[in-house]
Amino acid sequence: MASPSIEFSHVYKEYRRHFWERKVPAVVDCSFAVERGTITGFVGPNGAGKTTSIKMLLGLVRPTSGTVLVNGNDPRIPRSRTALSFLSERPYFYDHLTVWETLCFSYGLTAGHVKSGEPDIRRVLELVELSASLSTKVKDLSKGMQQRLSMAQALLCDPDLFVLDEPMSGLDPLGRRLFRHILLTLGKEGKTIFFSSHILDDVESLCSHVVVVSAGRLAYQGPLADLLAEGVRVVECEVAGLSEADRDLLTAKGYTVTRNANAGDVISIPAGKDAVECQRYLCEKGIFCESVSKRSASLEDIIYKRQ
């Protein structure tokens, strides 16, 4: 089995804000892994340790103790970043350069002068819908347009691993829709995407896996579907043809049976009750569910219940 793209093992990181003050923990005994080919959301409240964790996996700061690996390598080793792109929440550009000049400069830093970067630059400009702004200076771009330029930089050399810090920051609804499409397309191509976000709708619509941190500690790691399953409050089955005896028996089993507007019945199966038992009873009676729906807590409620 291939090693994870990102791996944290019992990582601690402490900071001392001033020389005479005691150290303050930012990340505490944090262990998680990001599997290759997954889109993984990295979520938690402000001050949870997300930015510090991203800095450690980029090799910008060292952990106080524990191990961080990127593509099986120590992040301080340059080869760990040869197939990695990073998008910062607050990208920095040279304001006097145009969009085209900025990407030419970025291409020269990443790929050298082995070949012309023009085809790749035009490709990414089209992906982020900046082709009409080639001659626009960075200082004249809006915050959202600068974020698109930052995404173009990340896409430029077609890496296998994307580390994105709040990629939707500053985007309008059309920009968010565009970025979602880009990330989903990259996921289908087998790229590994690890991104932090406070916009949980984006996490829910994009991610297969999620890492949740709180106060520097790991609160959850695993498939998003498993986390959402924790928030299922009730399953509702809409049926027709129940007799009074059926209603009484189902009620005695702990289900709630109510009449609906279509002269049928809605059987509510609370969390923790076995839905299969209810469905088996209905099947034996020759009664079939016309619809099944779940009422769940929001992802926000599920995550912050863990804090």
Side-chain angles (χ1 to χ4, degrees):
M1 182 178 178
S3 62
S5 287
I6 298 169
E7 191 170 8
F8 277 53
S9 180
H10 300 291
V11 174
Y12 285 82
K13 179 60 184 177
E14 297 176 326
Y15 286 107
R16 180 181 279 127
R17 292 191 175 93
H18 301 285
F19 180 77
W20 57 87
E21 291 185 356
R22 69 175 186 174
K23 292 182 179 180
V24 176
V27 176
V28 181
D29 194 23
C30 196
S31 298
F32 65 86
V34 177
E35 300 299 326
R36 298 180 186 274
T38 62
I39 301 178
T40 300
F42 191 36
V43 299
N46 291 332
K50 300 189 301 298
T51 298
T52 299
S53 296
I54 288 175
K55 286 181 178 179
M56 286 190 286
L57 72 88
L58 293 173
L60 299 177
V61 299
R62 297 183 181 184
T64 304
S65 63
T67 304
V68 179
L69 296 176
V70 178
N71 293 321
N73 297 302
D74 188 313
R76 292 170 292 176
I77 299 175
R79 68 170 176 268
S80 71
R81 298 185 292 276
T82 56
L84 181 155
S85 274
F86 171 61
L87 186 154
S88 173
E89 179 185 6
R90 297 176 182 175
Y92 179 83
F93 300 104
Y94 293 112
D95 286 348
H96 64 282
L97 296 181
T98 66
V99 168
W100 180 264
E101 290 167 342
T102 297
L103 291 178
C104 286
F105 176 68
S106 299
Y107 188 86
L109 290 175
T110 56
H113 300 282
V114 177
K115 62 177 181 177
S116 170
E118 182 173 342
D120 287 326
I121 293 172
R122 292 194 180 279
R123 173 182 61 84
V124 298
L125 284 172
E126 185 175 350
L127 286 174
V128 301
E129 299 181 0
L130 276 182
S131 297
S133 303
L134 297 182
S135 302
T136 304
K137 290 189 175 181
V138 171
K139 66 180 180 181
D140 296 324
L141 297 176
S142 66
K143 163 66 174 171
M145 298 294 272
Q146 288 187 8
Q147 198 70 358
R148 293 188 186 210
L149 180 57
S150 186
M151 176 62 84
Q153 286 182 317
L155 294 167
L156 196 53
C157 289
D158 193 28
D160 295 323
L161 171 62
F162 290 83
V163 178
L164 313 176
D165 189 9
E166 296 287 346
M168 310 291 187
S169 176
L171 294 176
D172 60 15
L174 288 177
R176 286 180 57 199
R177 181 181 179 184
L178 173 64
F179 273 35
R180 284 186 181 188
H181 173 73
I182 290 172
L183 296 180
L184 286 172
T185 300
L186 291 171
K188 291 176 182 177
E189 292 173 356
K191 307 293 186 182
T192 305
I193 301 169
F194 182 66
F195 77 95
S196 68
S197 180
H198 287 105
I199 305 172
L200 297 183
D201 283 347
D202 293 330
V203 174
E204 193 167 354
S205 63
L206 291 170
C207 297
S208 58
H209 292 70
V210 66
V211 175
V212 182
V213 289
S214 175
R217 299 178 183 272
L218 182 71
Y220 175 83
Q221 126 169 289
L224 178 61
D226 291 352
L227 184 62
L228 291 173
E230 294 183 13
V232 175
R233 292 170 174 166
V234 65
V235 176
E236 294 184 340
C237 299
E238 186 174 342
V239 299
L242 285 182
S243 66
E244 285 299 328
D246 293 328
R247 295 188 185 96
D248 292 342
L249 183 57
L250 289 168
T251 300
K253 289 179 177 290
Y255 308 116
T256 301
V257 183
T258 56
R259 303 289 289 179
N260 66 11
N262 299 322
D265 293 281
V266 176
I267 304 170
S268 298
I269 307 169
K273 290 290 291 181
D274 189 359
V276 174
E277 181 184 354
C278 177
Q279 292 171 335
R280 184 179 296 116
Y281 174 82
L282 295 174
C283 184
E284 290 172 352
K285 291 286 187 175
I287 301 171
F288 298 96
C289 296
E290 297 181 4
S291 68
V292 179
S293 60
K294 293 181 180 180
R295 292 191 180 181
S296 304
S298 68
L299 181 58
E300 182 178 5
D301 289 340
I302 298 168
I303 286 176
Y304 293 110
K305 180 181 67 176
R306 292 173 165 268
Q307 309 307 318

